[in-house]
Amino acid sequence: MADLQGVEQALAALLEGVEPLSAERLPCDQAAGRILAQAVSARLDVPPFDNSAMDGYALHHDDAGGWLEVSQRIAAGAAGEPLSRGTCARIFTGGVIPPGADCVVMQERCRVEGLGVNTPREIPAGDNIRRRGRDVTAGDELLPAGVPLEAAALGHLAGQGITAVSVRRRPRVALLSTGDEIVDPGQPLGPGQIYNSNRPMLKRLLERFGADVVRVASIPDDAEGTRQALAAAAREAEVVITTGGVSVGEEDHVKPAVESLGQLDLWRLAIRPGKPLALGRLRADSHEARFVGLPGNPVSSFVGAWLFLRPLMGALLGAPSLAALPRLVARADFTTTTGPRQHYMRVALAFTPEGIVAAAFSDQNSGVLSSCISADALAVIPPESRIEEGDTVDCLWLNGG
């Protein structure tokens, strides 16, 4: 096992020299899910003026506790007149606080008779007022580079009147399947053949990680066909991913093809599942692409995608949030023993009053894809370890990433 590499070494080799891709400018209504390429500064204070947090009456706090004349009415979107002492203004949520008022009394606490309002005593200054700039101050950083443009971030931009932003270009990815035994769904199965479950699974994960899958193809089980397919993919994509064909069998042609086109930086990892995983670079004409060779077993590909493809996409996108999965500490609801390889077990998490509990799927074989469907996390079990029920385990949270 001395020649097997760990995850940290593999990630270092994979990410060495990776720089964020170029940027493109997009309208905000087309930028959902993209990664911000440049920090954005605030143009406006938010809120842009002191305003009422609820429907009620605006007054000076020293005038609270007696009957006050209602001297004006201020709806949202309108500005009132300066408020005379001894009077109050009927105000609605979002209405501008008039000069002379320093608090708002909610309408449920007031008694109204004719044009007069009786308010409770001891109302503090500033009560129920949203101060100008409470959320954002003009000139401050609104959003940093590298942030994903999800719902709240898009709302933040809209609140500034911003209509377009600079985002990272999506990494172009080629996804290639190897093996004559692999058949696309919809085609008849021949003897010894199985349907391709890796392709739709990995395509969805890559899209979730921010990639643009520009090529999807199958590689024939021959050396020259494999080489030609990898070269064509390297001309079109920044990242070329294969499934299967990276072991040492007579029909495993990917490894020698990669070595002939570029370089193999790392091969075979001390992890379970996913030992036969290859990392390197492909060169075709003037193009260079990162290469990731995932195992053919679907669970191995699933785990490898989260451990390696996600941080690679994050580096190309300049997105720190994709660099590493969130880690949680949970209490094991299982017993297991590991050998010389680090084990990534598929577990479901239960968030209880006593803490987080990790329940392992009963069959952790690398061909049992059903173990990934309900998995919330990967429990990381170090080499040569024994975990008893109730022990604490580190978990990589898939649903948090």
Side-chain angles (χ1 to χ4, degrees), residues 13-221:
L14 177 64
L15 301 180
E16 183 181 1
V18 175
E19 296 289 340
L21 298 173
S22 59
E24 59 183 346
R25 195 158 183 84
L26 283 183
C28 288
D29 61 3
Q30 297 176 25
R34 301 295 291 271
I35 303 299
L36 194 64
Q38 297 176 348
V40 177
S41 295
R43 303 171 178 176
L44 307 169
D45 291 335
V46 178
F49 43 77
D50 291 354
N51 68 91
S52 178
M54 57 186 56
D55 295 346
Y57 297 88
L59 57 135
H60 193 282
H61 74 282
D62 284 339
D63 291 334
W67 285 93
L68 301 174
E69 176 191 355
V70 179
S71 59
Q72 55 183 305
R73 183 179 185 276
I74 305 173
E81 300 294 330
L83 188 69
S84 299
R85 291 294 301 271
T87 71
C88 66
R90 177 68 166 127
I91 196 167
F92 298 89
T93 303
V96 180
I97 302 298
D102 66 0
C103 66
V104 173
V105 183
M106 60 191 303
Q107 61 187 16
E108 291 83 354
R109 301 185 64 192
C110 298
R111 185 157 58 93
V112 181
E113 290 185 8
L115 297 179
V117 174
N118 187 273
T119 64
R121 297 182 183 278
E122 298 180 358
I123 302 298
D127 203 31
N128 297 319
I129 292 178
R130 295 183 291 217
R131 293 296 185 190
R132 176 177 180 169
R134 177 176 179 174
D135 186 16
V136 177
T137 301
D140 287 353
E141 185 176 78
L142 183 74
L143 293 173
V147 70
L149 294 177
E150 299 298 346
L154 291 169
H156 226 26
L157 293 169
Q160 294 289 315
I162 295 171
T163 59
V165 287
S166 179
V167 299
R168 290 292 172 195
R169 182 171 57 77
R170 292 185 187 275
R172 295 190 300 268
V173 175
L175 181 56
L176 309 178
S177 305
T178 71
D180 289 341
E181 78 280 8
I182 304 298
V183 177
D184 289 334
Q187 303 298 316
L189 288 175
Q193 292 184 320
I194 58 173
Y195 285 121
N196 191 341
S197 58
N198 277 327
R199 179 180 292 169
M201 175 185 71
L202 291 173
K203 184 173 185 292
R204 174 60 190 135
L205 284 175
L206 286 163
E207 291 169 347
R208 180 174 174 179
F209 302 154
D212 180 14
V213 181
V214 297
R215 176 183 283 255
V216 175
S218 297
I219 300 178
D221 271 343

Side-chain angles (χ1 to χ4, degrees), residues 182-342:
I182 304 298
V183 177
D184 289 334
Q187 303 298 316
L189 288 175
Q193 292 184 320
I194 58 173
Y195 285 121
N196 191 341
S197 58
N198 277 327
R199 179 180 292 169
M201 175 185 71
L202 291 173
K203 184 173 185 292
R204 174 60 190 135
L205 284 175
L206 286 163
E207 291 169 347
R208 180 174 174 179
F209 302 154
D212 180 14
V213 181
V214 297
R215 176 183 283 255
V216 175
S218 297
I219 300 178
D221 271 343
D222 68 79
E224 184 56 27
T226 299
R227 188 181 183 282
Q228 291 180 7
L230 290 176
R235 294 186 190 100
E236 188 176 357
E238 279 102 17
V239 179
V240 177
I241 300 166
T242 62
T243 55
V246 291
S247 191
V248 292
E250 293 182 9
E251 298 301 323
D252 292 329
H253 303 292
V254 172
K255 181 174 177 284
V258 172
E259 291 172 323
S260 72
L261 288 169
Q263 66 191 65
L264 194 67
D265 296 323
L266 186 145
W267 177 57
R268 301 174 75 229
L269 300 182
I271 65 172
R272 176 186 170 210
K275 174 184 171 184
L277 185 143
L279 307 175
R281 307 170 199 216
L282 300 171
R283 300 181 186 92
D285 301 331
S286 60
H287 300 271
E288 180 174 287
R290 298 280 165 162
F291 169 76
V292 180
L294 295 173
N297 282 325
V299 175
S300 299
S301 282
F302 178 84
V303 172
W306 284 100
L307 295 182
F308 299 104
L309 299 185
R310 184 177 183 273
L312 177 57
M313 296 305 116
L316 290 168
L317 289 165
S321 61
L322 293 175
L325 284 164
R327 284 186 174 265
L328 300 174
V329 176
R331 188 175 72 254
D333 192 20
F334 58 87
T335 299
T336 192
T337 302
T338 58
R341 290 184 284 160
Q342 184 156 280

